[in-house]
Each structure stands twice: as structure tokens, then as C-alpha cells.
Amino acid sequence: MLRLSLFAGLLLSLSFVTGRAAQDTDPATTELLLKKLEAMEQRISQLETEVGELRAENQRLQSSPAPAAPAVTTAAASPVSPQHPAATPAAQVQAQSAHVDTIAPATPAPAVVKTAAAQTADDQQAAATAALAPVEKAPSNIPKGYIPIIEDRAYITFNLTTQVDVMVDTNNANTPAEFVTSSLPVQGQPTYAAGLNSSVSFRQSTLGFDAIVETGQGPLNIVYANNFMENPNTNAFGYYLLRFYGEWEGLRIGYGYTTLYDENAAPATLDYEGPNSLMSVYNAQVRYTRTLIEGEEVSLLGKLAIESADPSISVSPAVSANSDVSERAPDVIAVLGVQGDTWHVQGGAVLSSFTTQTAGVSSDALGWGLSLSGSWNFTPDDLVMVWGSVGSGYANYIQDSEGLGLDAYVDASGNLHTLDTYAFGVGYTHNWLDNLSSTFTIGYVNVDDAAVGTIIPQTPTNQIMHETYYTSGNLVWQPFSSFTIGAELLYGRKRAISGAEGDDFRIQFTSRYSFNP
């Protein structure tokens, strides 16, 4: 108020000076100055009124009883609830424990009946305090598309794909939903050279989710997916599990691709089976992954796993009734990978142990396999991929020879023998445009299984593969992120143990909607 009074006195003095000056100026200027002075006097009057109201409000607030002291939280001494473990930034969630220690006031404040004005003032004060409180929100490192669940201690995203494949074969491929070259009919089989046939499949459609769960010791990732490829030999739908595992701090437990699988060297084919020589089978496993060296330009990654591969072994009919084949121990797999800016190389090894019991006599054998794969982006639009493997007793890890009894065989004397196998392939992807690309592949698999033909007769209904060839090329267009269409030409050839051969050309048209935010 003192400042306002001084300011008013200054204005009066200014008015006097202005009045004296007005005698020497024209009337229009004088009238303009007087109007400005009147406006300033009105504003001073308004300010004095507002100051009076603020003083009255301040007196009312001071006369009202003080609110009870708030409880003091001691987060450092708070016990951690098993249902709500302590939060960590790595789990992409910040939350307070539901169990905290509180210090209550020594003497509770008496109940007071407040006037409406006092209650309004309290409400305003509470609102101001709430406005200053920190706002909890999901950290910025939560992957896009994840939504919070379970009191913001877990996040989940859904991966849904609807896909229809239209396939036309020059011969009967025996596998209408996928191109499995080891299943091609050969000369002498009833379905050989059956002529043009086609099929329509929905079975590559997938349902899945990825979840991140806060553990208090780092995030637990849970991954699940399935499609409807239960039996590739028919067009019938059936549930087929692709992966279901949890992974925490590099420790994976569950079911999914074998540790030998190199996803960075897997060509993007429209055909579900993919190249015949890839090591892309699914196994139950316990796997540990660790970055061994992390440099500015190159990093070294190590993986160690035990897997249940269920050996696929052929047994001579002479002893099959009295023979029991099994694994002595889970398969042991070790993988090392080197990653650069535009390239990577991965090497792996697997060790298997088989045993058979025939009429009280046991026979054991060790299977092994070595793999090497890699990829190189030699230009921003060009990617080349290579892969290969060699060994004995590991054929069940190869796409084309899985489940065909080609890991080993039991002869008529009950002795167990592993089978030598090797496989390799090359893939190349070129981006024509940002949303238009092509992928080309070649694959070859060879199993030294002539001995199997001597103990298991090869009949028109049973022609086990000796070697297979796989080639493919496609053109894929993705007009927007959730929609893909494409066409792929495939050729496969099979030579059986008997020497009989068969081949097939297939053209596949694919359309796909994806929901993966």
C-alpha cells in the first residue's frame, strides 16, 4: 500500500506539472494526457481493492486449524512384498512398494467443523500440493506397443498374424502347406508325377504375445507363439507350438528354436519350411547367453545350452520288437558369435549321446555336429547369408532330415551306428525399393544312409531321402507396415536311398495382415 500511495502522489505531481505544461501546448495534447491519467487512477483503485481481498483471505487461512501432519514414508526401510517386489529401471517400470513404514503424529488433531470458505481454501491448498507432486509414468525404455498390466509391474504386447497362402504344384509335393523336399515322391511311388495340383492354406497365421515382468532383480521376458501347422502332410488345421519360454538376465528356460539356429542368417522366404539345410528345429531347452566382449566395432557373444532333441533312429526289423532307443543325456550345445557393424559370424557345436537296449544287450554311440553361419550387408540394400554344418548323428537338427530316423541306426545284431551328414546353403536379399524386396536361396542336404537301406527295405510307400536340393526366389511388396503380399517360385529335388528321384516346381502367392504394435 505504501508503494501504491507513493505512486499516486507521483501521479498528482505529474498532473500538476502537466497542467502547467498544458498552458504551452495545444488543447488536443492536453486532453490526451488527461485521459491517460484518469485510466491510471482507475487501475490504482482496482489494485487497492485486490490487495484488500488478498489480505482478508490470508487472515481467514491463518485463523483456520492446522491440518494433521502427513504420514512420513521411509522407503529405505520399507519391507518388500513378494507380490510387489522392489522396482528397478531395467524392468521398465517405476512403482512404490505397497508396504511402507509410517510415523504417526504423537497427538491426533481434534475434529473441526470448517466453514465453506475454510474448506475451499484447504481444497485449493491440497490441489496445489498435488500439482507439485511427481507424476509416475512408464520409463522411456518401455518398447513401443507394450501396455501395462498387473498394477504397472508388467507390460505386454500381442503379435497376431492372419495369412493365406495359395500354392500350385507341377507335381504332388505330399506336403500341401509347406515345401518339404525330403517328402517329395520319387519314381515308383503312387503319387509320383501326379500332375498339376493346388491348395489354399491359412496355417501360417500366428497368435502370440511378448511380456515384460518386473522381478525386483531385473526384467523377466516371457515369449509365446503358435500357428496351425500340426501336420504338414494334410490341409487340416491343428495347434502347433512355436515357442514358449521365459528369459531373465540371459537365462532362457522353455521351448523354441534350437540354440544352433542363427536367425541373422535365415532367409526371408514366403514358404513356411524354408531352405532344407537350415538348423531351425524346435527343442525344449535351458540356455544361458552372455556378452563376453563388447567393443566399439566388434562384440563377442557366447551361448551354452542343454536341449532335448529326441534322437531319430532307424531300427532293423529283426530286432525292432525287442529294442529300446533313447538318449543317455540331454544334448549339450555351445555357440560363439562375433558381431560387427554390417556383418556377423556364428559357430556352434552339439554333442549327443545315444543308447539302445536289445534283448538285454546295450549299445552306445556319440553324435556330434559342427555349424558355421554368417551374414554381410555389403550395401544398405544387399544382404548375403551363408550357413553349413557337418557331423555324425546330428541329422535331427537339420530342417529336411528331422524325424526321418537318420541320426543313427540299429543293425540286426543290435549294434548302434551314427550316420554322417552334411548340409549347406546360401541366401541373398535385395531391396528394390523401401517397400519392395526379393530373396533368393539355395540349399543342399546329404546323409550317408546307404546302410539304412540294407536293414529297412525301401518300398513304394517308404523311400527315405539320401540327398535333397532346395531353391527359391520371391518378390515381396509391403505397401504399409501391417500388410504384405508376395509371390515365390520354388524348386525341389529328392534322391532316395534306392536311387529313385523326384522333383517339383511350386509357385506360392501370399497375403498377410500383421498386428504387432
Side-chain angles (χ1 to χ4, degrees), residues 478-484 512-514:
Q478 192 173 30
F480 55 93
S481 60
S482 298
F483 179 54
T484 302
R512 177 193 308 139
Y513 281 125
S514 299

Side-chain angles (χ1 to χ4, degrees), residues 296-311:
E296 294 182 359
E297 297 182 356
V298 177
S299 60
L300 178 65
L301 189 73
K303 302 177 183 179
L304 185 63
I306 56 173
E307 298 187 6
S308 176
D310 295 329

Side-chain angles (χ1 to χ4, degrees), residues 302-382:
K303 302 177 183 179
L304 185 63
I306 56 173
E307 298 187 6
S308 176
D310 295 329
S312 184
I313 297 175
S314 297
V315 181
S316 169
V319 295
S320 60
N322 300 313
S323 182
D324 180 30
V325 179
S326 63
E327 282 187 302
R328 286 193 301 179
D331 291 355
V332 178
I333 297 175
V335 170
L336 282 177
V338 181
Q339 181 73 49
D341 291 337
T342 60
W343 58 272
H344 99 284
V345 176
Q346 174 177 301
V350 56
L351 183 65
S352 303
S353 178
F354 313 130
T355 184
T356 180
Q357 295 284 337
T358 304
V361 178
S362 64
S363 179
D364 303 325
L366 289 177
W368 61 274
L370 300 175
S371 67
L372 185 65
S373 58
S375 63
W376 178 34
N377 272 106
F378 58 93
T379 77
D381 294 319
D382 296 278

